[in-house]
Amino acid sequence: MTDPHFDRAIDRSQMQVFDEVAIQISAMNKWYGTFHVLRDINLTVNRGERIVIAGPSGSGKSTLIRCINRLEEHQSGKIVVDGTELTSDLKNIDKVRSEVGMVFQHFNLFPHLTILENLTLAPIWVRKVPKREAEETAMYYLEKVKIPEQALKYPGQLSGGQQQRVAIARSLCMKPRIMLFDEPTSALDPEMIKEVLDTMIELAEEGMTMLCVTHEMGFAQAVANRVIFMDQGQIVEQNNPHDFFNNPQSDRTKLFLSQILGH
Amino acid sequence: MTESSAAFVRRDMLPPQAPPATQAGVLKWLRENLFSSPLNAVLTLAGAYVVWWLVAHSYPWLSHSVWNAGSLSECRAIIAERWGADATGACWAVIKERWHQYIFGFYPPELYWRPISVFLLLFVALAPVLFSAVPRVLLVFTVVYPFLATWLLWGGSPWIEVMILVGFVLGWAAFRIASRYGSLLAVSVALAVPALWWVFAAGPMDRALEQAIRLAIEKVASDKFGGFLLAVTIGVGGIAMSLPLGILLALGRRSDMFLIKALSVGFIEFIRGVPLITLLFVASLLLNYFLPPGTNFDIILRVEILVTLFAAAYIAEVVRGGLAALPRGQYEAADSLGLDYWKAQRLIILPQALKISIPGIVSTFIGMFKDTTLVVFVGLFDPLKGISDFVRADFNWKGIYWEPYIFVGCIFFLFNFSMSRYSMYLENKLKRDHR
Ligand SMILES: Nc1ncnc2c1ncn2[C@@H]1O[C@H](COP(=O)(O)OP(=O)(O)O)[C@@H](O)[C@H]1O
Ligand SMILES: [Mg+2]
């Protein structure tokens, strides 16, 4: 499959060795009332791994990654992030949240703050970084997502693609060890998707541990180490992208792939 | 230049011409704005009739104004003499003679400088809060102001106020130090330290300082307060205290913690379900039963507290509306960045929620300021009825009716209109700032 977006697919020819566990989810279940939204999830993510989570709408993809930084609470099983287990202990939750960055479908920038203030807020108030230093870091990441000239504008003055890049930069300013993406390009016009994906590819090249919920199968092919397919709250299948796309095992995966790829 | 093949080419621009008369000026404006349809034409004429009727009835009365007279009967005599026996006219002489009572109540005239300076300093204290261009250092004065104002208004020794202020400063310092070791500890220490200070240290310190440095100024008792001095004292105090309390109540009502939520809901619904008058009667009568005998709990302070609670319940509901209007994504983004509850509220949620709530908050303040006139029912001299009744009790001004009400109404209008304009200014400014 060739996709013009991913001419710069990252080099995976050498075997990468992942020997450190970043996220460990075991026998995890979650209910919304009586609705069993996540069923017996077992998932190990190693440091530096890039995982794409795919699956039909309503299959629990968002819920799964939101459990990882406790935006949602799981009811049974165990989630350990960076050696910290997520329980109702607020200390642990805050610790995990400051190590895990999250990018949302609708950006969720703070509209009453400038771009620069959006980026420096958490470093200053959570990490206690001096303002000057936080601003330098912020400018560094704004350069990286290629919009340093927008620093003093408000989010409402930026295009969707720019806002999403700011949102990525905002997460990076906290120097997270893990990044979660929940359909980061789904709310964007087609011509803006590439600029956001490019930013994500760059992150991947630098070895960031990433979990992305996305329907961009080109991105999955080019970047992911592993593709996870979810349906009805379960992990149905996981494999490296090559085998996942060319040799899917379950019927549900085949059906999903035929729907999403075979227009 | 090549020869044009067109039959005619205009080489000069024609000068612009004035539009036809029906498309310009007053006629056009009238037709578009007042007579654009038969219904609008009827409404315009009806409106014009109402305006004419109001002016026709009030103009003669206003134009026959008398400013110099010693009594209502003298006023009437002057009007009859100047404009005929059956002419009616306004007798502003009563305002000229009694304006100081409307403004200051029964505050000793030789001490008028004290409420006047308190009023002027109010603007200095408000400036850094209201306008972002004013230097931030002035906020220190804003913090000191309530204590300074209390001392100047009621007089006596300033040390009690200083001791109370020191308690707050100690609490704040304790909070800053303890917040390194956790939020819960910080909050408990911030409450415990000032409480201990006020209970055990403030009294002896106050007496000692009073002995050492005598700064006492003449005392003015609460029953000397009246008119707008009373209304503004209660109003400004109520506004300043009900906003933070209302915000806390709104947050409490949305809290996940059952007890806090239940208490907030119970308080808000109880206060909103009871007329303010009832609460004022509680202030004047019931509170005394609960206090140890012999304690003298100032009536203005009691009223102030209940007016604050009353306004806070309404503010809480207005702010809750603002909080509910924020998209969930804002909370989630704040959470995912690791901001704890209070930081998320302070830095992300409240600035946006309060911005949405400005019109409602200001309406509540305006309503509360007008409601301060109800203190007349617990024996305080509000400007509208309390002072006016007092003035009419004078034989000279018996039977005067409209003039005091118009005068008091105008002053209330001035205050409330300023608040309303400020809220519009703020809304526009925030809209421009944040797009
Ligand atoms: N707060 C909630 N309360 C109840 N049901 C929810 C809630 N959030 C999501 N769900 C349900 O859980 C299921 C999984 O949702 P989600 O994780 O958002 O799916 P996906 O991201 O894969 O589209 C859906 O059926 C959705 O309707
Ligand atoms: Mg989703």
Side-chain angles (χ1 to χ4, degrees), chain A residues 53 94 108 115 139 187 208 229:
Chain A
I53 303 173
D94 284 341
N108 296 356
I115 301 305
M139 287 315 292
M208 175 67 77
F229 177 69

Side-chain angles (χ1 to χ4, degrees), chain B residues 17-291:
Chain B
Q17 287 183 342
T22 50
Q23 288 303 312
V26 183
L27 269 181
K28 175 170 184 279
W29 187 90
L30 280 178
R31 215 188 48 218
E32 282 178 359
N33 292 290
L34 297 179
F35 298 97
S36 57
S37 73
L39 177 65
N40 281 354
V42 171
L43 290 176
T44 298
L45 292 175
Y49 175 75
V50 171
V51 171
W52 175 82
W53 186 86
L54 283 174
V55 171
H57 278 73
S58 55
Y59 179 75
W61 186 75
L62 278 173
S63 65
H64 301 170
S65 288
V66 174
W67 285 91
N68 295 306
S71 68
L72 184 57
S73 43
E74 200 178 317
C75 261
R76 289 200 175 130
I78 293 172
I79 291 165
E81 177 195 326
R82 286 198 198 151
W83 292 288
D86 49 355
T88 57
C91 181
W92 301 112
V94 63
I95 305 298
K96 197 177 171 195
E97 187 188 300
R98 299 301 186 97
W99 66 271
H100 54 95
Q101 279 175 346
Y102 279 98
I103 306 296
F104 298 105
F106 310 103
Y107 211 85
E110 71 278 10
L111 299 179
Y112 278 174
W113 64 271
R114 276 161 42 176
I116 290 173
S117 5
V118 166
F119 188 67
L120 294 179
L121 287 174
L122 174 64
F123 293 97
V124 182
L126 281 179
V129 180
L130 298 186
F131 302 103
S132 48
V134 178
R136 300 289 88 189
V137 264
L138 267 181
L139 279 172
V140 175
F141 181 73
T142 309
V143 172
V144 175
Y145 176 80
F147 302 94
L148 179 67
T150 313
W151 176 53
L152 280 176
L153 285 176
W154 277 274
S157 146
W159 296 115
I160 301 169
E161 281 86 0
V162 172
M163 289 303 114
I164 293 173
L165 178 59
V166 167
F168 282 114
V169 172
L170 283 177
W172 177 76
F175 179 81
R176 288 303 291 264
I177 294 168
S179 59
R180 269 179 235 143
Y181 309 103
S183 304
L184 191 67
L185 179 75
V187 173
S188 343
V189 173
L191 293 176
V193 168
L196 289 175
W197 167 264
W198 287 323
V199 173
F200 295 111
M205 285 284 284
D206 170 44
R207 281 188 289 279
L209 279 165
E210 180 58 28
Q211 292 301 318
I213 311 167
R214 292 184 176 279
L215 282 179
I217 53 177
E218 189 176 333
K219 275 195 176 164
V220 180
S222 280
D223 57 6
K224 295 277 185 284
F225 283 57
F228 280 99
L229 173 57
L230 182 69
V232 172
T233 303
I234 295 173
V236 171
I239 286 171
M241 295 190 290
S242 65
L243 185 59
L245 185 61
I247 291 172
L248 287 179
L249 282 169
L251 293 178
R253 189 163 191 168
R254 289 172 63 89
S255 165
D256 295 331
M257 282 177 271
F258 174 76
L259 194 65
I260 291 184
K261 188 187 169 110
L263 285 175
S264 306
V265 172
F267 177 86
I268 293 170
E269 294 307 333
F270 170 73
I271 296 278
R272 294 204 314 159
V274 174
L276 178 56
I277 286 287
T278 318
L279 295 178
L280 291 178
F281 283 136
V282 169
S284 85
L285 304 170
L286 269 180
L287 272 189
N288 269 356
Y289 291 122
F290 295 118
L291 294 170

